[in-house]
Amino acid sequence: MTTPRVDIIIPTYNGRDHLAVCLPALARQTYRHFHVVVVDDASTDDTADLVRSLMPEATLLRLPRNSGLAVAINRALASTRGELVAFLNNDTEPEPGWLAALVAALDRHPDAAAVASKLRLFDRRDVLHSAGDTYSRRGVPNSRGVWEVDRGQYDREEEVFSACGGAALYRRSALEAVAAVDGHVLDPDFFMYCEDVDLSWRLRLLGYQIIFAPDAVVYHRLSATGGGPLASYYVARNTLAVLVKDVPGPILRRNLPRIAAQQTRLLLGTLPHLREPAARARLRGLLAAPVLWPRMLTKRRRIQSARRVPVDAIERLLTD
């Protein structure tokens, strides 16, 4: 059997209702040379039955325990061989031309490792969630265009710092290059959230570009699988892990006052709201971050030693 050019990997945890929208949307794609892999991260709903019913040709990987999004995607990567790999959240609905636009953009940019989609809100379909992602000199990842009404202001195919891993296409050879340095494509220590930021940093340090494809439109239910206190904990913890692991020393030193001020603002802004579950989870994430740092520093030495591009070439892509 011919190996499909694209493997679409969908991690899911108790996401039956989301898959009931996502899988039919994939069946309507105009680009057909793809294969779907659903990674069931120990769901307790009837996800498996739904996948077999809606898309019997898909591969269903069932994990024995919930190991997190990063592990789920790594497992799927190890079991596939397509030249290109799409990561897709289960709580998305891609437009029919989504995959065709991503593949065409990657073909136009042979030096690019990844292509970012245009994500719009599922329930407000003219509002953006991401037109490619950014990373600031304050040490904060963000989504370009977030909460803006989409009036075509981001309709140019162009380079961005990062791709939101909820709907992005990657060149497998680039992912393999990252894994050769760090041991994994996605870092299992991140579990979920910011694992795509970490991946983008590692690709950037190896000299790869990341492109935004404005015609690759996906509608996204925000944090439908995670979200709430869970997201608050992992975002707070993992944002600091990215700083320790990935950001080159010269950038850290030049921007240390901004980074410190940002973290101080976050902490002081959290304390008055400790009655709220999300605020308590954010504080726990900040306090848990140092536990990861010894492992992050070990990885940092490998990653920074493998850097192929000047620091200034990366820093010019950062926002203020």
Side-chain angles (χ1 to χ4, degrees):
M1 186 174 70
T2 303
T3 301
R5 189 177 184 205
V6 182
D7 290 307
I8 301 177
I9 297 174
I10 307 174
T12 189
Y13 174 67
N14 288 338
R16 181 194 184 282
D17 291 344
H18 303 319
L19 290 171
V21 175
C22 182
L23 293 180
L26 291 178
R28 296 191 291 270
Q29 292 299 299
T30 58
Y31 183 91
R32 303 304 306 166
H33 197 36
F34 69 89
H35 179 69
V36 174
V37 181
V38 178
V39 190
D40 185 359
D41 207 2
S43 297
T44 56
D45 60 10
D46 59 346
T47 287
D49 291 339
L50 179 81
V51 172
R52 294 188 185 106
S53 171
L54 288 181
M55 191 171 279
E57 70 275 19
T59 297
L60 178 66
L61 293 180
R62 304 187 71 179
L63 304 187
R65 61 187 180 89
N66 188 339
S67 302
L69 181 144
V71 170
I73 290 180
N74 287 342
R75 287 284 299 274
L77 283 167
S79 70
T80 56
R81 294 183 298 158
E83 173 198 351
L84 309 177
V85 184
F87 298 169
L88 185 65
N89 280 10
N90 63 358
D91 53 1
T92 58
E93 182 185 357
E95 286 193 347
W98 167 72
L99 189 55
L102 290 178
V103 172
L106 205 52
D107 285 343
R108 283 191 292 270
H109 297 273
D111 293 330
V115 182
S117 302
K118 177 189 277 189
L119 278 75
R120 295 188 188 135
L121 301 185
F122 189 88
D123 55 351
R124 289 184 288 160
R125 297 200 163 201
D126 61 341
V127 176
L128 292 166
H129 179 235
S130 175
D133 286 356
T134 64
Y135 195 87
S136 80
R137 293 177 177 85
R138 295 175 289 112
V140 178
N142 203 356
S143 299
R144 197 172 66 137
V146 64
W147 315 134
E148 296 179 21
V149 174
D150 186 2
R151 297 189 174 91
Q153 65 270 44
Y154 299 103
D155 277 0
R156 185 176 68 179
E157 184 173 289
E158 59 187 324
E159 186 173 12
V160 291
F161 182 82
S162 178
C164 172
L169 184 68
Y170 298 87
R171 206 180 299 277
R172 186 181 293 269
S173 59
L175 298 181
E176 290 173 346
V178 160
V181 173
D182 199 24
H184 302 279
V185 173
L186 296 182
D187 188 336
D189 283 331
F190 281 69
F191 194 80
M192 62 191 303
Y193 290 102
C194 295
E195 78 291 328
D196 52 352
V197 182
D198 170 57
L199 174 59
S200 292
W201 262 107
R202 289 182 285 141
L203 289 168
R204 285 289 180 191
L205 292 167
L206 290 180
Y208 291 103
Q209 294 180 334
I210 298 172
I211 302 299
F212 167 64
D215 294 331
V217 177
V218 176
Y219 302 102
H220 183 210
R221 304 177 195 261
L222 291 187
S223 298
T225 299
L230 188 71
S232 296
Y233 173 84
Y234 281 111
V235 169
R237 189 192 71 156
N238 292 347
T239 296
L240 290 172
V242 169
L243 276 168
V244 173
K245 178 182 177 183
D246 298 313
V247 182
I251 296 178
L252 284 176
R253 289 190 291 272
R254 282 195 286 267
N255 295 282
L256 189 58
R258 298 184 187 190
I259 294 168
Q262 172 65 31
Q263 291 301 316
T264 300
R265 281 194 296 271
L266 178 62
L267 177 60
L268 294 179
T270 297
L271 294 177
H273 301 283
L274 287 181
R275 292 177 180 268
E276 302 168 15
R280 293 197 299 273
R282 186 180 304 115
L283 182 60
R284 288 197 303 273
L286 292 171
L287 295 174
V291 177
L292 284 181
W293 291 354
R295 293 201 294 277
M296 295 298 114
L297 287 169
T298 298
K299 297 172 186 181
R300 176 186 181 85
R301 286 189 284 272
R302 295 195 297 266
I303 292 166
Q304 300 301 327
S305 296
R307 177 169 56 85
R308 299 175 184 169
V309 292
V311 168
D312 290 348
I314 299 174
E315 191 167 14
R316 67 176 176 80
L317 297 169
L318 305 182
T319 62
D320 289 330

